[in-house]
Amino acid sequence: MSAPHLIQLAKAGGARVVTTVSSDAKTDYARALGADVVVNSTTGDVVAAVREFTGGRGADLVLDHVGPATWNTGIYSLAPRGRLVFLGNTTGNRAEFDLVYAYHFGLRLLGSDPYDRREFAAMLDAYWASTFRTPVDSEFPLTEAAAAQRRMESRRATGKIVLRP
């Protein structure tokens, strides 16, 4: 699940949403999707922003689809007894964290478990019936797949990159 979908899902569930972006150019995009607070993770202090937004408490839930590069930021952004749900591992397969911190604050670390076909079908039905959208950054003909790859690697895309046959 991508950040745009997570923002929309959290807002639909009534959450107040803090999200991160990798460049200032993506700030307005994240706000348009519903984020209440947007922090540039390359220049800003995400944990401090979360603490400020929550009156010092921290987040009840962190959804992490990146992995090791954002793992500790997520851990330290949590409120006591908060939950970190990890949904992906874009930046690697191993994360390290302070066990003492995690158990003193009663943190819960949860993997997103696999689903069966019925759950997937129900999710798709809910998606199509909702106002969620899948933003498309750009489209390329399949013959320009290399250019699409370069666009993705540039980290400037704000939405999905689509290859057309």
Side-chain angles (χ1 to χ4, degrees), residues 124-138:
L124 280 178
D125 289 343
Y127 178 82
W128 296 122
S130 75
T131 59
F132 291 175
R133 54 195 168 120
T134 300
V136 174
D137 173 82
S138 50

Side-chain angles (χ1 to χ4, degrees), residues 5 9-10 16-17 35 67 69 86-87 90 100 102-103 110-111 125 145 161:
H5 294 107
L9 182 63
R16 297 183 325 145
V17 176
F86 46 104
L87 313 157
T90 307
V100 173
Y103 72 72
L110 308 164
D125 289 343
I161 298 170

Side-chain angles (χ1 to χ4, degrees), residues 26-84:
K26 295 180 179 182
T27 300
D28 290 341
Y29 170 72
R31 282 199 180 101
L33 291 170
D36 297 295
V37 174
V38 181
V39 183
N40 181 333
S41 60
T42 62
T43 60
D45 185 335
V46 176
V47 176
V50 170
R51 297 281 175 195
E52 181 180 339
F53 184 63
T54 61
R57 185 171 183 283
D60 293 316
L61 174 67
V62 170
L63 301 173
D64 186 329
H65 65 96
V66 176
T70 57
W71 187 261
N72 281 314
T73 298
I75 294 280
Y76 292 117
S77 294
L78 287 169
R81 295 194 175 87
R83 296 162 292 164
L84 185 146

